[in-house]
Amino acid sequence: MVSVTSLQKCYQESVVLRDISFSVEEGEVFGIVGHSGAGKSTLLRCLNGLEGYDSGSVHVMGREVGDLDPAGIRLLRRDMGMIFQTFNLLSSLSVLENVLLPLRLWHVPAAEREARAGELLRLVGLYERRFERVSALSGGQKQRVGIARALALSPKVLLCDEATSALDPGTTISILDLLLDIRTSLGLTIVFVTHQMEAVKRACDRIMLLDGGQIQGTGPTDRFFLAPSEDLRRLVQDEYAQFPGGTNIRLWFPREIARDAVITSMARALDVDFAIVGGKLERYADDVRGFLVINVPDPDRERVLAYLEAKKLYWEVLGNE
Ligand SMILES: Nc1ncnc2c1ncn2[C@@H]1O[C@H](COP(=O)(O)OP(=O)(O)OP(=O)(O)O)[C@@H](O)[C@H]1O
Ligand SMILES: [Mg+2]
């Protein structure tokens, strides 16, 4: 659906995107995360032709974006809806008028566009409020209007730039769940830019971490957070509690492993006691995932490590070993 190869982008002398290569599959929710200034928005704008690029390739739905003329860019943008942190709605107009705007711009016949806008407003749960001004809505409701407007022309790809960053945690979840629903019901591909780690965990199938305009890592979301490399751990600022003495072992549980059974089975099989130091279970897109840190007394250490190895569990010894 989207394939970027060796992309480089400069503003004057400074390189803001360097050697960026990744691809997004059809139907996927692909997250791009990173600190402020990492180049996330710039990368998103390269995908829909709002920005040019200096070298490399941006291939979107069979088209090389850099080769498109203005008419081609217009067609490309029709196929790529976009939503923003600041919603970018016309607040003096009604909810309905905002959704009708892109349909008017593309000269969709009146009856058809009314029907389409009504259908989308039902989808986002705002049909009853269609005649109200946007300025009377809450942030979450405004973003629902933003989503309805972005979907008006039936795009195949939805680009989201910090779409939930201005919203409180509960509203963020409701917007993410709406996006996941429409991904499934409309078969959309979503590129989701954010600095909110909680949002990517809930929404994204795969993520890519950008820092200083470069890719620092990419992979399935659960692996990315549950088994981060040292660099990633620093960037996502995850630290694990450890007890002094003994061996602190962090186990993590991808979907294929039943988390409860692992710990109790090991305790039974080895007849060892260990302390639970800490852990976290979180809701990811399709399931609850998490990790657990245990502290094993020195005499049991080798037996526990051999068991974990033999069972092919996911684990690491923490500390300066
Ligand atoms: N139009 C521009 N002209 C010059 N420099 C720019 C321009 N737009 C962005 N930049 C620079 O490019 C870099 C990346 O900016 P970008 O907006 O893509 O970051 P971001 O990851 O989206 O950050 P944020 O999380 O704050 O939105 C920054 O150093 C920024 O100052
Ligand atoms: Mg940005």
Side-chain angles (χ1 to χ4, degrees), residues 25-241:
E25 306 305 323
E26 191 172 347
E28 193 173 29
V29 182
F30 186 80
I32 300 174
V33 298
H35 295 308
S36 188
K40 306 181 296 294
S41 299
T42 307
L43 176 55
L44 211 56
R45 291 200 304 269
C46 288
L47 298 185
N48 70 354
L50 274 172
E51 289 280 1
Y53 42 94
D54 298 286
S55 61
S57 157
V58 178
H59 207 70
V60 179
M61 288 176 275
R63 292 165 268 197
E64 181 63 35
V65 177
D67 292 346
L68 296 173
D69 59 12
I73 292 280
R74 207 165 112 82
L75 286 168
L76 175 76
R77 287 208 203 119
R78 190 184 59 177
D79 286 340
M80 298 184 98
M82 189 153 178
I83 56 174
F84 306 86
Q85 177 170 10
T86 49
F87 319 123
N88 291 19
L89 301 168
L90 296 174
S91 51
S92 61
L93 295 186
S94 72
V95 166
L96 179 62
E97 287 295 331
N98 268 278
V99 180
L100 287 172
L101 270 177
L103 296 159
R104 285 217 171 89
L105 275 172
W106 280 88
H107 307 294
V108 174
E112 205 181 306
R113 65 180 182 239
E114 295 286 336
R116 176 78 184 143
E119 180 191 327
L120 287 165
L121 286 169
R122 279 197 188 87
L123 181 75
V124 301
L126 284 176
Y127 185 73
E128 304 305 324
R129 306 193 59 175
R130 64 193 180 284
F131 298 122
E132 285 181 43
R133 277 173 178 226
V134 162
S135 54
L137 301 182
S138 71
Q141 290 160 345
K142 284 179 185 155
Q143 195 57 290
R144 286 172 186 271
V145 180
I147 291 169
R149 187 188 55 182
L151 298 177
L153 299 166
S154 308
K156 297 176 184 65
V157 178
L158 184 63
L159 305 177
C160 308
D161 194 354
E162 304 282 3
T164 55
S165 303
L167 307 175
D168 65 60
T171 311
T172 293
I173 287 175
S174 75
I175 293 292
L176 294 175
D177 288 350
L178 173 64
L179 290 172
L180 291 174
D181 280 350
I182 56 182
R183 175 267 292 263
T184 309
S185 59
L186 306 180
L188 272 180
T189 303
I190 299 181
V191 183
F192 191 87
V193 161
T194 186
H195 63 269
Q196 290 176 302
M197 298 299 168
E198 300 317 309
V200 290
K201 283 179 191 168
R202 192 171 181 101
C204 299
D205 301 311
R206 280 193 305 138
I207 62 174
M208 176 170 92
L209 179 71
L210 273 189
D211 196 45
Q214 284 179 289
I215 296 177
Q216 301 295 325
T218 180
T221 310
D222 58 348
R223 264 167 203 275
F224 198 91
F225 284 104
L226 294 174
S229 66
E230 281 301 319
D231 283 352
L232 294 181
R233 198 169 289 173
R234 225 174 349 95
L235 281 159
V236 302
Q237 286 161 354
D238 237 347
E239 275 189 21
Y240 308 115

Side-chain angles (χ1 to χ4, degrees), residues 245-249 266 270 272-274 294-309 315-321:
T247 301
N248 292 289
I249 301 171
M266 179 163 76
L270 302 181
V272 294
D273 287 318
F274 38 72
I294 58 173
N295 183 278
V296 178
D298 286 334
D300 296 327
R301 173 192 157 105
E302 294 314 317
R303 281 201 306 143
V304 167
L305 294 184
Y307 179 92
L308 295 173
E309 189 65 47
W315 58 277
E316 63 177 341
V317 172
L318 298 177
N320 305 317
E321 298 265 333

Side-chain angles (χ1 to χ4, degrees), residues 249-260:
I249 301 171
R250 190 176 73 95
L251 296 137
W252 60 276
F253 310 102
R255 183 167 33 173
E256 53 283 15
I257 294 180
R259 51 193 161 267
D260 311 329

